[in-house]
Amino acid sequence: MVKVVAEYPEAFWRRDGLAGAAFSRSGPLQEIHDMSGPEGQPAALFGFAHASTARNTGPDFRAAVTGQLTQLFGPQAAQLVALHVKDWSAEQWTSPAQVAQLADYSLFGHRLYQRPAMEGRLHWASTETARGYAGHIEGALVGGERAAHAILYALPDSNSNPEPATANSAPAA
C-alpha cells in the first residue's frame, strides 16, 4: 500500500461540516480519513492507494491525488501545504519479497494473539489478530469484536440473581 498525507493550513472540511472521510473507487485513494489533531491542527487528510496505482501513474500520481481530494472535499483541497507519499511496498522491513506474492494475509495474525493470555485476563484485539482482512480496518473490527465477545462470555452473568435463602438452606447454628 501507499499512504498519502495531504497537509493543509486548516481543517476546512470540519468547518464545512464534513467528517474528512471518504471511500472511493474512482481515484488513486481508496479510503481517506481525517488525521488532524483534536483542535484541527495540524490539519491533514490521509488515504491509502494500491502501490501499483502509484507506480503506474508515475509523476502524475500527486496531481491525481490532489484532483481526487478536490472533487471529494471542494476547491480548498487543492490548497495543499504539502503532500507526503510513502510507498510501503518499497520498504524492506514492511514488505518482504515473499509477502508481495500473498493473496491470503491471514498468516500475519499469529495464533497466540488470537487466544487470551494470562489465564484469560488479557485479550489481544487488533488487525494483526484477525483471521480475515489482517492489516485492514475490517481486520481491526473483526479482531475487536472477537476479543469483546470472548470477554463478555467470560464474565459472570450480571442478570442472574443468587437464589434467595430459604428456611431449609439456612446455615446450622
Side-chain angles (χ1 to χ4, degrees):
M1 295 299 290
V2 173
K3 185 173 185 179
V4 177
V5 176
E7 188 180 346
Y8 294 97
E10 66 169 321
F12 62 87
W13 53 93
R14 291 182 179 182
R15 184 192 65 236
D16 294 343
L18 299 174
F23 291 90
S24 176
R25 297 293 179 242
S26 62
L29 301 179
Q30 293 189 349
E31 62 179 271
I32 300 161
H33 304 276
D34 182 347
M35 73 174 281
S36 306
E39 302 300 318
Q41 288 297 319
L45 295 169
F46 85 91
F48 295 106
H50 283 290
S52 60
T53 304
R55 276 190 231 108
N56 292 339
T57 310
D60 295 333
F61 178 72
R62 292 174 181 268
V65 167
T66 304
Q68 181 183 20
L69 293 172
T70 302
Q71 182 180 15
L72 292 168
F73 298 100
Q76 276 195 284
Q79 307 305 313
L80 293 163
V81 170
L83 190 66
H84 309 279
V85 178
K86 184 64 175 177
D87 183 353
W88 290 106
S89 70
E91 293 295 316
Q92 175 184 2
W93 303 112
T94 59
S95 188
Q98 65 272 25
V99 172
Q101 305 305 318
L102 288 178
D104 175 14
Y105 294 96
S106 62
L107 297 174
F108 289 165
H110 194 284
R111 288 188 181 113
L112 284 177
Y113 300 124
Q114 295 172 356
R115 295 189 306 251
M118 298 175 59
E119 298 172 358
R121 295 188 315 265
L122 176 63
H123 293 263
W124 305 100
S126 69
T127 187
E128 290 79 11
T129 67
R131 290 184 179 101
Y133 302 104
H136 297 275
I137 191 72
E138 294 90 345
L141 295 171
V142 168
E145 287 174 350
R146 178 194 41 74
H149 182 79
I151 291 166
L152 287 173
Y153 282 95
L155 294 174
D157 185 358
S158 62
N159 292 321
S160 66
N161 295 323
E163 292 295 321
T166 63
N168 294 339
S169 64

